[in-house]
Amino acid sequence: MPSYKEAKERFRGSIAPVITPFNEDESLDLETFKKLINWQIESGSHGISVTGTSGEPSSLTVEERELVMETAMKAVAGRVPFLPGTGSVNHNEAMRLTKAAQEMGADGAMVIVPYYNRPNQHALYKHFKTIADAVDIPIILYNIPGRTAVNLEVETIARLAEDCPNIIGIKESNKDFEHVNRVLLKAGRDFNLYSGIELLCYPMLAIGGAGHISATSNVAPSPVAEIYNAWAAGDVKRAQDMHFEMMELNDILFKDTNPAVAKAALGMMGKITPVLRKPMDIPSEALQKELREVLVNYGIELKDEVKS
């Protein structure tokens, strides 16, 4: 296992949060899943994550999540870092999944703030510390207050970074740019900060971020990776241009709850059967029509008609 310092250096760039494809009957479509992972890596994504928000983890059983993780792990085959999402609203499930990630050989794990039950900051500290202490693999915290209804505060992040050597970074889906600046100030400039907000992917690189974990990479992996590549190469103008070029696509993909629009797009591209598990569903026909127009404008090859 690489050291945590080495992991910080390796876990950089565009880490694709791959969707979980389903068949028409809502069963797992693992063969298509493997193809998606190969496409991501071949398209330049610097890492792979699964069963995060884009992977509909709350619609999967724990056993299904473990199967998805195992399948992804084998498909990645060490070509890029593999960082599955192992968080849950249930502490014991999060513990089980994070231990499973370690046992199967994952490079690290991404653990979301528990959703729905709104724990206080001390409870969040205990939750994450207990999980981090139970494993040796690197942990990436995942803060997404729009989904969880509670923000992981800067002071709590800094305390976890200080007390848990294997907590090496955080995916921030907090739109408050002051907050993310203070994360690096308080947790340390060497703490890996990843943007989970599409319009903050470039700005977070500018303040010292390690990369991004962007749902848009499900549809356009190459340009999302190129933002990081350009920045890392010192081509600031190119990174800025890519940032603005991607805005229209970013906007359309979040006009409905993620990953509904991304799955519709992948369906139009002929890469998946665009199925979400209830209570989620594909976007309205009006939004799908708008999506198709945007995809065509981006030069993305489409194969299937709009689904009703």
Side-chain angles (χ1 to χ4, degrees):
M1 179 188 300
S3 70
Y4 299 134
K5 183 177 180 180
E6 289 172 342
K8 286 183 178 182
E9 290 302 314
R10 188 170 176 238
F11 299 173
R12 290 182 175 273
S14 174
I15 299 170
V18 182
I19 60 100
T20 304
F22 300 121
N23 296 300
E24 288 284 4
D25 63 358
E26 299 186 11
S27 61
L28 295 173
D29 183 354
L30 297 179
E31 291 306 310
T32 294
F33 186 51
K34 296 173 192 175
K35 292 177 183 177
L36 289 176
I37 289 172
N38 284 330
W39 177 58
Q40 284 290 333
I41 296 173
E42 291 165 0
S43 299
S45 292
H46 305 100
I48 296 293
S49 184
V50 299
T51 60
T53 303
S54 298
E56 299 175 71
S58 59
S59 296
L60 303 174
T61 66
V62 175
E63 291 76 16
E64 284 177 323
R65 289 183 66 175
E66 290 175 336
L67 177 58
V68 167
M69 288 162 55
E70 285 273 11
T71 302
M73 176 80 187
K74 292 175 182 176
V76 171
R79 289 176 287 173
V80 296
F82 175 55
L83 307 167
T86 59
S88 171
V89 66
N90 181 295
H91 174 80
N92 289 334
E93 285 183 5
M95 181 75 81
R96 170 178 166 174
L97 289 164
T98 308
K99 287 181 176 179
Q102 174 168 286
E103 290 166 4
M104 70 179 62
D107 297 287
M110 185 173 67
V111 186
I112 195 171
V113 170
Y115 33 93
Y116 181 74
N117 48 24
R118 302 181 66 184
N120 63 37
Q121 295 300 305
H122 180 63
L124 286 171
Y125 172 84
K126 290 174 66 177
H127 169 73
F128 285 116
K129 187 174 189 302
T130 303
I131 292 172
D133 286 349
V135 296
D136 296 318
I137 56 173
I139 299 293
I140 305 296
L141 305 172
Y142 181 12
N143 187 31
I144 181 168
R147 291 270 194 165
T148 63
V150 63
N151 185 50
L152 188 60
E153 299 293 346
V154 171
E155 293 76 12
T156 309
I157 298 167
R159 186 181 173 199
L160 286 165
E162 174 70 23
D163 295 348
C164 305
N166 58 332
I167 294 182
I168 66 166
I170 186 167
K171 175 184 177 181
E172 275 288 358
S173 294
N174 186 328
K175 293 183 178 181
D176 182 349
F177 201 56
E178 288 189 17
H179 166 90
V180 297
N181 275 269
R182 296 187 188 283
V183 168
L184 286 183
L185 177 68
K186 297 295 185 181
R189 299 276 293 279
D190 64 339
F191 196 64
N192 279 26
L193 174 68
Y194 306 91
S195 177
I197 299 291
E198 277 58 32
L199 295 192
L200 294 183
C201 288
Y202 168 73
M204 282 202 199
L205 291 174
I207 64 169
H212 31 266
I213 305 173
S214 166
T216 302
S217 62
N218 276 294
V219 177
S222 293
V224 173
E226 177 60 21
I227 294 173
Y228 179 84
N229 291 338
W231 175 263
D235 193 345
V236 175
K237 177 66 163 56
R238 173 66 174 160
Q240 289 177 339
D241 288 346
M242 291 297 300
H243 167 73
F244 286 102
E245 286 174 18
M246 294 301 293
M247 286 179 73
E248 184 182 12
L249 181 59
N250 288 331
D251 287 346
I252 191 74
L253 290 177
F254 287 87
K255 281 197 171 183
D256 196 350
T257 305
N258 183 48
V261 188
K263 279 197 160 183
L266 287 168
M268 293 175 189
M269 294 162 67
K271 291 192 175 294
I272 68 167
T273 302
V275 173
L276 292 91
R277 281 188 175 172
K278 300 175 184 65
M280 299 285 285
D281 201 358
I282 59 173
S284 67
E285 290 188 27
L287 180 51
Q288 289 190 52
K289 181 179 179 181
E290 185 181 353
L291 170 64
R292 174 172 283 273
E293 292 171 355
V294 171
L295 295 175
V296 169
N297 289 340
Y298 273 85
I300 295 173
E301 182 181 356
L302 305 184
K303 296 182 179 180
D304 289 355
E305 295 300 318
V306 175
K307 306 292 183 180
S308 62

